[in-house]
Amino acid sequence: MSDPESLRCSSVRNRGGVQRVEGKLRASVERGDYYEAHQMYRTLFFRYMSQTKHAEARELMYHGALLFFSHNQQNSAADLSMLVLEVLEKSDAKVEDEILEHLAKLFSLMDQNSPERAAFVSRALKWSTGGSSKLGHPKLHQLLALTLWKEQNYSESRYHFLHSSDGEGCAQMLVEYSASRGYRNEVDLFVAQAVLQFLCLKNKSSASVVFSTYTEKHPSIQKGPPFVQPLLNFIWFLLLAVDGGKLTVFTVLCEQYQPSLKRDPMYNEYLDRIGQLFFGVPPKQSPSYGGLLGNLLNSLMGSGEDDDGAEEAQEDSSPIELD
């Protein structure tokens, strides 16, 4: 028997073995023998891991977690979900959409207030970096954002949308967020903050999409531009200025709209960072701090990197808290 054929036959046998084991475990769970089934899952996990059968271990733990979730056995399900992550962390599994979707599925089924859920998402995002996106894979952030949106956890959903590439989804969530939780005179604040933060993360395309989608779909915003709300006009002009890259335009724009920008004390901090990223403005040196503390604050604000490292720097540390 040739080597490829031998490997294929071995894979078929392994899958058949996993299916037989899953059948026995499922029967145990259906009988209500949750503790016994949970311990058996853990025993099999360590056995598979010792044999470097990583794919089999991950598949068994994933389906076992789903089974426990379906029987409202949150603790056992969360434990097996953590073992799914352990396989990924200890194996050479590549970041693929199917795996990210599995992780998001497990996250969606966890108790919203459980400490295991917070630990799970932290480890999942860390694993998903794959050496490229230091804040977590954009696809996983998008899937998490969609789950949190369904749960009406708008604040957390917004955070994950910011680190995804889904500007349209973010805008639609913000429309709902504004309509259900905000005041009528705050409709412009919701989108302004999101656009400024997307720009601070050097994501121009999502910033533009979130603005255009939000202003088109929000029922309390009259068709523009120009808009009734001065802050929306500022954001519209800012996006045009970012494309042009002219410092004089950016400077005049910020000066002319100061009354609107004073509505949130964070706006000028965002704009300082945007000035550095898109208009070549040098980082501000705070006179209040010097020495080691000043250097620390500069590093937290993302300043002090050269242009070539700007893209990497904005991923490594946000210039402001994007909560």
Side-chain angles (χ1 to χ4, degrees), residues 27-322:
S28 183
V29 172
E30 298 290 351
R31 290 194 305 269
D33 297 332
Y34 303 126
Y35 178 80
E36 179 184 336
H38 184 193
Q39 294 308 308
M40 183 57 68
Y41 270 110
R42 290 185 63 84
T43 298
L44 289 169
F45 171 78
F46 292 112
R47 183 181 300 171
Y48 281 144
M49 291 298 285
S50 68
Q51 298 170 352
T52 63
K53 294 180 178 179
H54 296 141
E56 290 87 347
R58 187 178 77 238
E59 184 176 352
L60 186 63
M61 294 306 105
Y62 173 68
H63 289 291
L66 295 182
L67 181 60
F68 277 118
F69 277 128
S70 71
H71 285 78
N72 200 29
Q73 297 298 304
Q74 280 284 330
N75 291 337
S76 296
D79 181 59
L80 298 193
S81 298
M82 290 297 189
L83 294 181
V84 171
L85 285 175
E86 188 170 328
V87 180
L88 293 172
E89 292 164 350
K90 292 183 177 179
S91 69
D92 56 356
K94 295 182 179 179
V95 178
E96 298 174 347
D97 282 354
E98 183 181 19
I99 294 178
L100 297 178
E101 287 164 4
H102 283 181
L103 295 177
K105 177 69 172 178
L106 295 174
F107 172 81
S108 72
L109 294 170
M110 288 183 179
D111 187 316
Q112 297 176 26
N113 299 314
S114 70
E116 290 84 4
R117 195 188 210 201
F120 178 84
V121 73
S122 177
R123 284 176 63 182
L125 286 168
K126 185 176 181 181
W127 170 79
S128 75
T129 57
S132 58
S133 301
K134 296 179 182 178
L135 293 168
H137 196 286
K139 175 70 173 180
L140 182 55
H141 275 296
Q142 180 198 29
L143 295 170
L144 296 172
L146 291 171
T147 291
L148 291 160
W149 178 10
K150 289 178 183 176
E151 297 172 359
Q152 297 186 335
N153 187 342
Y154 299 114
S155 179
E156 288 295 317
S157 174
R158 186 179 161 285
Y159 168 81
H160 289 290
F161 269 126
L162 279 171
H163 295 292
S164 76
S165 301
D166 187 4
E168 184 174 356
C170 182
Q172 292 174 342
M173 182 276 295
L174 289 173
V175 169
E176 184 179 307
Y177 189 10
S178 168
S180 62
R181 305 281 175 86
Y183 294 104
R184 188 178 178 85
N185 64 352
E186 295 177 337
V187 294
D188 49 350
L189 299 179
F190 283 81
V191 70
Q193 185 184 44
V195 170
L196 294 173
Q197 291 183 346
F198 269 125
L199 290 176
C200 284
L201 293 169
K202 214 172 183 181
N203 189 343
K204 280 198 303 183
S205 61
S206 293
S208 296
V209 170
V210 76
F211 181 73
S212 60
T213 305
Y214 182 92
T215 53
E216 286 171 10
K217 294 186 177 296
H218 201 295
S220 297
I221 295 178
Q222 295 181 18
K223 187 174 177 62
F227 300 96
V228 173
Q229 298 88 347
L231 184 59
L232 293 181
N233 288 324
F234 170 78
I235 296 296
W236 174 50
F237 284 127
L238 176 64
L239 290 168
L240 295 175
V242 164
D243 284 334
K246 293 183 178 180
L247 178 58
T248 52
V249 174
F250 174 69
T251 303
V252 170
L253 187 60
C254 293
E255 289 174 353
Q256 290 296 315
Y257 281 91
Q258 269 304 307
S260 293
L261 297 177
K262 287 178 180 178
R263 292 173 65 191
D264 187 329
M266 287 301 299
Y267 286 169
N268 283 319
E269 291 193 44
Y270 296 143
L271 290 167
D272 284 344
R273 179 61 173 159
I274 291 166
Q276 295 168 33
L277 290 172
F278 297 102
F279 301 97
V281 177
K284 281 188 175 181
Q285 298 297 322
S286 173
S288 303
Y289 302 99
L292 190 60
L293 180 58
N295 292 335
L296 174 62
L297 290 174
N298 283 336
S299 69
L300 290 173
M301 290 293 289
S303 61
E305 297 89 356
D306 57 28
D307 290 339
D308 293 337
E311 187 81 38
E312 181 178 344
Q314 60 86 17
E315 291 179 344
D316 195 28
S317 62
S318 170
I320 30 70
E321 291 294 332
L322 302 182

